[in-house]
Amino acid sequence: MKLFDAPSADGVWHRCHLLPEADPAREIRDAAVVVEHGRIAWLGAESALPAAYRSLPHHDADGAWITPGLVDCHTHLVYGGQRADEFAMRLSGAGYEEIARAGGGIVSTVRATREADEATLFAQAAARLEPLLAEGVTAIEIKSGYGLTLEAERKQLRVARQLGKAYGVSVHTTFLGAHALPPEYAGRADDYIDLVCNTMLPALAAEKLVDAVDAFCEGIGFSIAQTTRVFEAATRHGLPVKLHAEQLSNLGGAALAARYKGLSADHLEHLDEAGVAAMAEAGTVAVLLPGAYYFLRDTNLPPLALLRQYGVPMAISTDHNPGTSPTTSLLLMMNMGCTLFRMTVPEVLAGVTTHAARALGAADRHGLLAVGRAADFALWQVASSAELAYWFGRNPCAAVVRQGRVFRNGDRR
Ligand code: NIG
Ligand code: FE
């Protein structure tokens, strides 16, 4: 269901339990939440509901747990086609990097994305977005990076914005022009980075299509020097940066992102202690992507103990993309964060709420429930918040309130 068909959430949500932020110590049992004009006007124990609100319409939450809307802070949701054949090739022994170097991988999705028109990209991305929304996602980051020309990157970012408007979900766009070298620039990576910095970014930023800037800093992506040029260009446009860093090897990308006060460094399977220390110092969020780790059958774990020791905030995300993480379940990523990365339940809860919001530069708007904020929350038919990380392949979300509108899951499935 799209935004304007959905009923208003205004009124008193009662007969619920509340987890206003990821800390289970702050839960409120037998709670109520008052929504007025699409914003949270009051929350607390139902027994303390102020008299002024008692005559408002009531929404019976039927014993559900209410959490902040979930935040998926790293996705490549808008692209053409899929890469199941490449998955099959990898099962027969081909490596991800090998396929990329042979002109497959990201570049094959670039071909499909360039060929698709906006309506097709919208329809394909909407089909991936809807299951995420049904799991309580109310804010999502969407990257470009499968166009690699000004026109095709613009097309991806425009579709991302259209999805936000149509579904009433908060979309944060990231320009990832430096995702891969397009075939027409083979052997001329520095010339392509010129195009990214001097043509694409200025035009897309002027069109208000860019909220942040990212790059793929890797042997099969771009070097530290090239990434630095992208970050310099972002800084000239007043845009925050983030980075695909240390996924397949350690090039020092996380420390570079930290030097630019990056919102986040993402993947991080090969991150070393110097990178962790730099991130801690800069307040850069570590975005961990267990879906890509799982789907590539990676064996290098991100350095969880060091990230904890240095107090680096950790987020969890789907990294939805056709090559390394074709998942549409953020709940499954929470479960994998626990099982594969040995994260705790409070860590993965923070990882999809407060810390994920921070990775978007939107900690003031998303990730926790507080008076004055937009009514963005999810209702869960669970006995405790641990159930959000416990099930895999089952969605206990009963309803979602996004931008002050109610979306019941029965309506959508
Ligand atoms: O986040 N690592 C680079 N980008 C994506 C994969 C893109 C693809 O294979 O299409 C990622 O894993
Ligand atoms: Fe990614």
mmCIF file of all heavy atoms in Angstrom, residues 71-92:
data_model
loop_
_atom_site.group_PDB
_atom_site.id
_atom_site.type_symbol
_atom_site.label_atom_id
_atom_site.label_comp_id
_atom_site.label_asym_id
_atom_site.label_seq_id
_atom_site.Cartn_x
_atom_site.Cartn_y
_atom_site.Cartn_z
ATOM 1 N N VAL A 71 15.978 1.123 10.535
ATOM 2 C CA VAL A 71 16.724 1.924 9.569
ATOM 3 C C VAL A 71 17.671 0.992 8.814
ATOM 4 O O VAL A 71 18.507 0.325 9.425
ATOM 5 C CB VAL A 71 17.548 3.008 10.310
ATOM 6 C CG1 VAL A 71 18.360 3.829 9.313
ATOM 7 C CG2 VAL A 71 16.640 3.913 11.149
ATOM 8 N N ASP A 72 17.507 0.935 7.490
ATOM 9 C CA ASP A 72 18.418 0.121 6.666
ATOM 10 C C ASP A 72 19.401 1.100 6.018
ATOM 11 O O ASP A 72 19.065 1.787 5.057
ATOM 12 C CB ASP A 72 17.619 -0.671 5.626
ATOM 13 C CG ASP A 72 18.462 -1.771 4.981
ATOM 14 O OD1 ASP A 72 19.679 -1.850 5.295
ATOM 15 O OD2 ASP A 72 17.925 -2.543 4.173
ATOM 16 N N CYS A 73 20.616 1.163 6.564
ATOM 17 C CA CYS A 73 21.504 2.296 6.267
ATOM 18 C C CYS A 73 22.501 2.049 5.139
ATOM 19 O O CYS A 73 23.380 2.886 4.903
ATOM 20 C CB CYS A 73 22.238 2.716 7.540
ATOM 21 S SG CYS A 73 23.391 1.473 8.149
ATOM 22 N N HIS A 74 22.379 0.929 4.409
ATOM 23 C CA HIS A 74 23.314 0.670 3.296
ATOM 24 C C HIS A 74 22.602 -0.242 2.297
ATOM 25 O O HIS A 74 22.511 -1.458 2.525
ATOM 26 C CB HIS A 74 24.593 0.009 3.840
ATOM 27 C CG HIS A 74 25.608 -0.361 2.797
ATOM 28 N ND1 HIS A 74 26.971 -0.250 3.012
ATOM 29 C CD2 HIS A 74 25.485 -0.872 1.541
ATOM 30 C CE1 HIS A 74 27.632 -0.664 1.938
ATOM 31 N NE2 HIS A 74 26.746 -1.050 1.031
ATOM 32 N N THR A 75 22.065 0.339 1.236
ATOM 33 C CA THR A 75 21.461 -0.505 0.194
ATOM 34 C C THR A 75 21.784 0.032 -1.195
ATOM 35 O O THR A 75 22.037 1.211 -1.381
ATOM 36 C CB THR A 75 19.910 -0.612 0.293
ATOM 37 O OG1 THR A 75 19.296 0.464 -0.421
ATOM 38 C CG2 THR A 75 19.397 -0.655 1.722
ATOM 39 N N HIS A 76 21.736 -0.909 -2.130
ATOM 40 C CA HIS A 76 21.854 -0.578 -3.568
ATOM 41 C C HIS A 76 20.527 -1.043 -4.187
ATOM 42 O O HIS A 76 20.501 -1.963 -4.996
ATOM 43 C CB HIS A 76 23.001 -1.357 -4.209
ATOM 44 C CG HIS A 76 24.332 -1.260 -3.502
ATOM 45 N ND1 HIS A 76 25.413 -0.613 -4.054
ATOM 46 C CD2 HIS A 76 24.765 -1.747 -2.300
ATOM 47 C CE1 HIS A 76 26.467 -0.712 -3.231
ATOM 48 N NE2 HIS A 76 26.092 -1.394 -2.163
ATOM 49 N N LEU A 77 19.419 -0.478 -3.742
ATOM 50 C CA LEU A 77 18.105 -1.064 -4.040
ATOM 51 C C LEU A 77 17.652 -0.884 -5.485
ATOM 52 O O LEU A 77 16.872 -1.692 -5.998
ATOM 53 C CB LEU A 77 17.069 -0.435 -3.092
ATOM 54 C CG LEU A 77 15.799 -1.237 -2.898
ATOM 55 C CD1 LEU A 77 16.043 -2.437 -1.992
ATOM 56 C CD2 LEU A 77 14.696 -0.364 -2.301
ATOM 57 N N VAL A 78 18.149 0.190 -6.134
ATOM 58 C CA VAL A 78 17.636 0.528 -7.477
ATOM 59 C C VAL A 78 18.630 0.055 -8.541
ATOM 60 O O VAL A 78 19.727 0.601 -8.659
ATOM 61 C CB VAL A 78 17.408 2.051 -7.587
ATOM 62 C CG1 VAL A 78 16.980 2.419 -9.006
ATOM 63 C CG2 VAL A 78 16.379 2.520 -6.577
ATOM 64 N N TYR A 79 18.252 -0.978 -9.283
ATOM 65 C CA TYR A 79 19.117 -1.486 -10.365
ATOM 66 C C TYR A 79 18.262 -2.339 -11.289
ATOM 67 O O TYR A 79 17.152 -2.757 -10.932
ATOM 68 C CB TYR A 79 20.281 -2.321 -9.790
ATOM 69 C CG TYR A 79 19.833 -3.475 -8.930
ATOM 70 C CD1 TYR A 79 19.486 -4.703 -9.491
ATOM 71 C CD2 TYR A 79 19.713 -3.337 -7.552
ATOM 72 C CE1 TYR A 79 19.038 -5.757 -8.705
ATOM 73 C CE2 TYR A 79 19.267 -4.388 -6.760
ATOM 74 C CZ TYR A 79 18.935 -5.584 -7.337
ATOM 75 O OH TYR A 79 18.479 -6.628 -6.564
ATOM 76 N N GLY A 80 18.801 -2.623 -12.463
ATOM 77 C CA GLY A 80 18.077 -3.475 -13.403
ATOM 78 C C GLY A 80 18.505 -4.934 -13.267
ATOM 79 O O GLY A 80 19.679 -5.238 -13.050
ATOM 80 N N GLY A 81 17.529 -5.828 -13.385
ATOM 81 C CA GLY A 81 17.828 -7.260 -13.478
ATOM 82 C C GLY A 81 18.220 -7.915 -12.166
ATOM 83 O O GLY A 81 17.875 -7.448 -11.078
ATOM 84 N N GLN A 82 18.966 -9.013 -12.281
ATOM 85 C CA GLN A 82 19.463 -9.763 -11.118
ATOM 86 C C GLN A 82 20.682 -10.566 -11.586
ATOM 87 O O GLN A 82 21.017 -10.541 -12.775
ATOM 88 C CB GLN A 82 18.370 -10.654 -10.502
ATOM 89 C CG GLN A 82 17.473 -11.373 -11.501
ATOM 90 C CD GLN A 82 18.134 -12.526 -12.199
ATOM 91 O OE1 GLN A 82 19.014 -13.162 -11.659
ATOM 92 N NE2 GLN A 82 17.712 -12.806 -13.410
ATOM 93 N N ARG A 83 21.354 -11.255 -10.667
ATOM 94 C CA ARG A 83 22.597 -11.941 -11.068
ATOM 95 C C ARG A 83 22.614 -13.396 -10.594
ATOM 96 O O ARG A 83 23.634 -13.893 -10.113
ATOM 97 C CB ARG A 83 23.820 -11.165 -10.543
ATOM 98 C CG ARG A 83 23.852 -9.696 -10.988
ATOM 99 C CD ARG A 83 25.183 -9.288 -11.573
ATOM 100 N NE ARG A 83 26.278 -9.329 -10.638
ATOM 101 C CZ ARG A 83 26.615 -8.339 -9.790
ATOM 102 N NH1 ARG A 83 25.928 -7.217 -9.766
ATOM 103 N NH2 ARG A 83 27.650 -8.477 -8.995
ATOM 104 N N ALA A 84 21.491 -14.080 -10.742
ATOM 105 C CA ALA A 84 21.433 -15.474 -10.296
ATOM 106 C C ALA A 84 22.436 -16.346 -11.063
ATOM 107 O O ALA A 84 22.999 -17.294 -10.507
ATOM 108 C CB ALA A 84 20.015 -16.014 -10.443
ATOM 109 N N ASP A 85 22.664 -16.016 -12.349
ATOM 110 C CA ASP A 85 23.606 -16.835 -13.127
ATOM 111 C C ASP A 85 25.023 -16.706 -12.574
ATOM 112 O O ASP A 85 25.791 -17.670 -12.562
ATOM 113 C CB ASP A 85 23.589 -16.426 -14.606
ATOM 114 C CG ASP A 85 22.270 -16.823 -15.267
ATOM 115 O OD1 ASP A 85 21.525 -17.626 -14.654
ATOM 116 O OD2 ASP A 85 21.990 -16.311 -16.362
ATOM 117 N N GLU A 86 25.358 -15.511 -12.126
ATOM 118 C CA GLU A 86 26.687 -15.308 -11.533
ATOM 119 C C GLU A 86 26.820 -16.103 -10.223
ATOM 120 O O GLU A 86 27.882 -16.680 -9.941
ATOM 121 C CB GLU A 86 26.895 -13.810 -11.268
ATOM 122 C CG GLU A 86 28.191 -13.489 -10.559
ATOM 123 C CD GLU A 86 28.291 -12.002 -10.250
ATOM 124 O OE1 GLU A 86 27.969 -11.176 -11.119
ATOM 125 O OE2 GLU A 86 28.693 -11.675 -9.113
ATOM 126 N N PHE A 87 25.727 -16.151 -9.473
ATOM 127 C CA PHE A 87 25.714 -16.967 -8.252
ATOM 128 C C PHE A 87 26.008 -18.427 -8.616
ATOM 129 O O PHE A 87 26.849 -19.093 -7.998
ATOM 130 C CB PHE A 87 24.339 -16.816 -7.591
ATOM 131 C CG PHE A 87 24.096 -17.679 -6.381
ATOM 132 C CD1 PHE A 87 24.957 -17.657 -5.288
ATOM 133 C CD2 PHE A 87 22.979 -18.509 -6.327
ATOM 134 C CE1 PHE A 87 24.717 -18.453 -4.170
ATOM 135 C CE2 PHE A 87 22.728 -19.304 -5.208
ATOM 136 C CZ PHE A 87 23.604 -19.271 -4.137
ATOM 137 N N ALA A 88 25.338 -18.899 -9.659
ATOM 138 C CA ALA A 88 25.560 -20.281 -10.099
ATOM 139 C C ALA A 88 27.022 -20.495 -10.521
ATOM 140 O O ALA A 88 27.625 -21.529 -10.203
ATOM 141 C CB ALA A 88 24.610 -20.616 -11.249
ATOM 142 N N MET A 89 27.608 -19.493 -11.208
ATOM 143 C CA MET A 89 29.023 -19.618 -11.615
ATOM 144 C C MET A 89 29.938 -19.708 -10.392
ATOM 145 O O MET A 89 30.911 -20.461 -10.376
ATOM 146 C CB MET A 89 29.455 -18.388 -12.426
ATOM 147 C CG MET A 89 29.089 -18.438 -13.892
ATOM 148 S SD MET A 89 29.273 -16.803 -14.651
ATOM 149 C CE MET A 89 31.051 -16.619 -14.659
ATOM 150 N N ARG A 90 29.602 -18.912 -9.377
ATOM 151 C CA ARG A 90 30.440 -18.952 -8.167
ATOM 152 C C ARG A 90 30.340 -20.310 -7.495
ATOM 153 O O ARG A 90 31.322 -20.822 -6.951
ATOM 154 C CB ARG A 90 30.068 -17.817 -7.208
ATOM 155 C CG ARG A 90 30.550 -16.457 -7.691
ATOM 156 C CD ARG A 90 30.637 -15.406 -6.590
ATOM 157 N NE ARG A 90 29.338 -14.994 -6.098
ATOM 158 C CZ ARG A 90 28.843 -15.309 -4.913
ATOM 159 N NH1 ARG A 90 29.535 -16.064 -4.072
ATOM 160 N NH2 ARG A 90 27.660 -14.882 -4.544
ATOM 161 N N LEU A 91 29.156 -20.914 -7.584
ATOM 162 C CA LEU A 91 29.003 -22.250 -6.980
ATOM 163 C C LEU A 91 29.836 -23.286 -7.729
ATOM 164 O O LEU A 91 30.231 -24.297 -7.167
ATOM 165 C CB LEU A 91 27.523 -22.660 -6.973
ATOM 166 C CG LEU A 91 26.652 -21.815 -6.058
ATOM 167 C CD1 LEU A 91 25.193 -22.223 -6.196
ATOM 168 C CD2 LEU A 91 27.089 -21.937 -4.601
ATOM 169 N N SER A 92 30.109 -22.996 -9.010
ATOM 170 C CA SER A 92 30.958 -23.928 -9.785
ATOM 171 C C SER A 92 32.432 -23.575 -9.664
ATOM 172 O O SER A 92 33.243 -24.080 -10.438
ATOM 173 C CB SER A 92 30.568 -23.925 -11.255
ATOM 174 O OG SER A 92 29.199 -23.930 -11.408
#
